[in-house]
Amino acid sequence: MKCKQTIRRRDASATKAAILGAARTLFAGASYETVGIREIAALAGADAALVSRYFGSKEELFHEVLRDGKRGADLLGTEMEGLPERVAAILMDPEDEGKSMEDILIFLHSANSPLAGEMVRDSIMERFHGPFSEAIGGENAMERAKLFGAMLLGISISEQISGAIAETPEMREKLTVRIAEILAKVIEPL
Amino acid sequence: MKCKQTIRRRDASATKAAILGAARTLFAGASYETVGIREIAALAGADAALVSRYFGSKEELFHEVLRDGKRGADLLGTEMEGLPERVAAILMDPEDEGKSMEDILIFLHSANSPLAGEMVRDSIMERFHGPFSEAIGGENAMERAKLFGAMLLGISISEQISGAIAETPEMREKLTVRIAEILAKVIEPL
DNA sequence: ACCGTAAGTCAACAGGTGATGACATTTTAA
DNA sequence: TTAAAATGTCATCACCTGTTGACTTACGGT
């Protein structure tokens, strides 16, 4: 009697979504080569064979994860007024745990992968640096956008690695203000 | 007639050093699992078997690479006067190509590895955040040191991924000043 | 010059990877 | 109800990984 506990009813699109979500989560935590198909399938509660079946290959699955991500502008908003404060608040939100910055973490972990690297670098340009430098506008917008991205990246990955920088709520508040100031300085025209 | 071009004379300590150097270079560019022993050996101009033989295992080799790295304080100096300017100059130096920040890149790429992650996180604390927060001193030194590290990390990895932010020498100069200002603000007491 | 030992090479291993095709089961439609 | 289509499972493949042992080659002391 073979009977594996199937949580959800047979539903191709639902399992496909579950796999995509699991892949997103895992790729945010480690590089393209480190994350295995079986691992993704396990987290999604599906069979490993379905990953290849539904997405064609691991590489295409990863591509789909990238396509599925939010654009930087969607996350941060295009309204420049109060942007540093908004972003700082997201970065320091203890509930968030880097979920808002998931795309950035995915970028980071696989940007140097021999197989997925080029894909990632294109995606960074198209989905982040591009729209964001447009939102900033003015002279040297791209340079300032890249610097801004570098800050987000640094803080996000640092928190993922070493845990939250701020431990107490008061410290968090102070740091939020500080980071907002820094980000404002980053965007400031050169 | 088996005759492989042996560049250097037979010298165990020299090959060991070559392997260590190659490993350092490659681990700065990709994660612990992504970099293969055969790849390391090829770059070092040695046989793959020697890697395991001389270092015991890939894990121990990686450990050695970490131990071999400079301490953050060595690289940046403990003299606080003019530190932001100095660091900014290193970050924007087009000749450097992230070589000074190699340790940081190594940290970054393998910090989330299931096998090497813990090792790396310990190393970050011991070799970077620790001495650096001591050098900064004052209240909330650790928090400011972590934020400082996050900036270095973000800029280094961003440059490695997308190439240099500044393309012209003038732009580079402007950005160096800007980054120095930012770093100064980061260190500033909370 | 020779021989022992250090240094390097090669082939093979066990285990893990992504991928695939045959099979089993559930769902849907007639 | 029953057959066909859709969905999920399993066993297996070829390849790649880190590691090891047996082998060959080169060096240095006598």
Side-chain angles (χ1 to χ4, degrees):
Chain A
M1 166 127 88
K2 301 279 181 66
C3 179
K4 183 175 170 180
Q5 283 258 13
T6 315
I7 297 303
R8 77 185 145 261
R9 264 173 80 87
R10 288 197 167 189
D11 178 346
S13 69
T15 38
K16 212 179 156 180
I19 290 172
L20 193 66
R24 162 164 288 276
T25 301
L26 292 173
F27 282 134
S31 74
Y32 176 78
E33 8 284 312
T34 308
V35 175
I37 277 194
R38 287 167 176 84
E39 193 184 352
I40 295 172
L43 183 60
D47 190 279
L50 292 180
V51 176
S52 291
R53 177 110 90 229
Y54 285 151
F55 293 89
S57 69
K58 186 186 177 184
E59 209 163 335
E60 290 178 71
L61 166 60
F62 186 75
H63 192 86
E64 197 70 24
V65 168
L66 287 183
R67 285 202 335 102
D68 186 52
K70 290 195 193 310
R71 307 173 80 230
D74 289 351
L75 172 62
L76 308 175
T78 49
E79 178 56 48
M80 295 304 295
E81 182 65 27
L83 181 103
E85 286 78 12
R86 237 180 306 141
V87 174
I90 295 176
L91 281 171
M92 288 290 112
D93 182 2
E95 306 294 325
D96 193 80
E97 296 254 347
K99 241 185 303 175
S100 296
M101 298 293 162
E102 216 172 36
D103 296 309
I104 293 187
L105 293 176
I106 294 172
F107 286 158
L108 166 80
H109 280 114
S110 296
N112 292 93
S113 155
L115 284 97
E118 198 180 335
M119 221 188 295
V120 171
R121 289 187 291 271
D122 289 350
S123 200
I124 291 178
M125 251 312 167
E126 180 198 329
R127 309 182 74 79
F128 207 93
H129 287 157
F132 202 67
S133 86
E134 242 183 89
I136 291 184
E139 245 184 325
N140 315 121
M142 182 55 86
E143 281 81 5
R144 286 180 285 142
K146 283 188 177 180
L147 201 55
F148 192 87
M151 299 290 131
L152 259 58
L153 211 137
I155 296 174
S156 296
I157 186 61
S158 173
E159 292 231 299
Q160 196 198 35
I161 293 175
S162 314
I165 298 177
E167 307 202 343
T168 69
E170 306 89 55
M171 181 57 65
R172 192 153 50 239
E173 194 130 349
K174 281 187 188 179
L175 271 178
T176 308
V177 174
R178 169 62 53 93
I179 290 175
E181 289 171 359
I182 292 168
L183 291 179
K185 193 150 200 62
V186 170
I187 301 181
E188 204 171 89
L190 275 168
Chain B
M1 169 142 56
K2 300 280 182 63
C3 178
K4 184 173 170 182
Q5 283 259 11
T6 314
I7 295 304
R8 85 185 137 261
R9 264 171 81 86
R10 290 197 164 187
D11 178 347
S13 70
T15 26
K16 212 178 155 183
I19 290 172
L20 192 65
R24 163 164 287 276
T25 302
L26 292 173
F27 282 134
S31 74
Y32 177 79
E33 7 281 315
T34 307
V35 176
I37 276 194
R38 287 168 176 82
E39 194 184 351
I40 295 172
L43 182 60
D47 190 278
L50 291 180
V51 177
S52 290
R53 176 145 320 156
Y54 285 152
F55 292 90
S57 69
K58 184 185 178 185
E59 209 164 334
E60 290 177 69
L61 167 61
F62 186 76
H63 191 84
E64 199 68 24
V65 168
L66 288 183
R67 284 202 336 103
D68 186 52
K70 289 196 192 309
R71 307 174 81 229
D74 289 350
L75 172 63
L76 308 175
T78 48
E79 177 56 50
M80 296 305 294
E81 182 65 29
L83 182 104
E85 287 78 13
R86 239 180 305 142
V87 175
I90 294 176
L91 281 170
M92 288 291 111
D93 181 3
E95 306 294 327
D96 193 79
E97 296 253 348
K99 238 185 305 174
S100 296
M101 299 293 160
E102 217 172 34
D103 297 309
I104 293 188
L105 294 175
I106 294 173
F107 287 157
L108 167 81
H109 280 115
S110 297
N112 292 96
S113 154
L115 283 96
E118 198 179 337
M119 221 189 297
V120 171
R121 289 188 291 271
D122 290 349
S123 200
I124 291 178
M125 250 314 166
E126 181 198 327
R127 307 182 74 78
F128 207 94
H129 287 158
F132 203 67
S133 87
E134 240 182 271
I136 293 185
E139 245 184 327
N140 314 122
M142 183 55 87
E143 282 80 4
R144 286 180 285 141
K146 283 189 177 180
L147 201 55
F148 192 86
M151 299 290 133
L152 260 57
L153 211 137
I155 296 174
S156 297
I157 186 63
S158 173
E159 292 231 301
Q160 195 196 37
I161 294 175
S162 314
I165 298 177
E167 308 202 343
T168 68
E170 305 90 55
M171 179 57 66
R172 193 153 50 235
E173 192 129 353
K174 281 188 187 178
L175 271 178
T176 307
V177 173
R178 169 62 52 93
I179 290 176
E181 290 170 0
I182 292 168
L183 291 179
K185 195 153 197 58
V186 170
I187 300 181
E188 205 170 89
L190 275 167

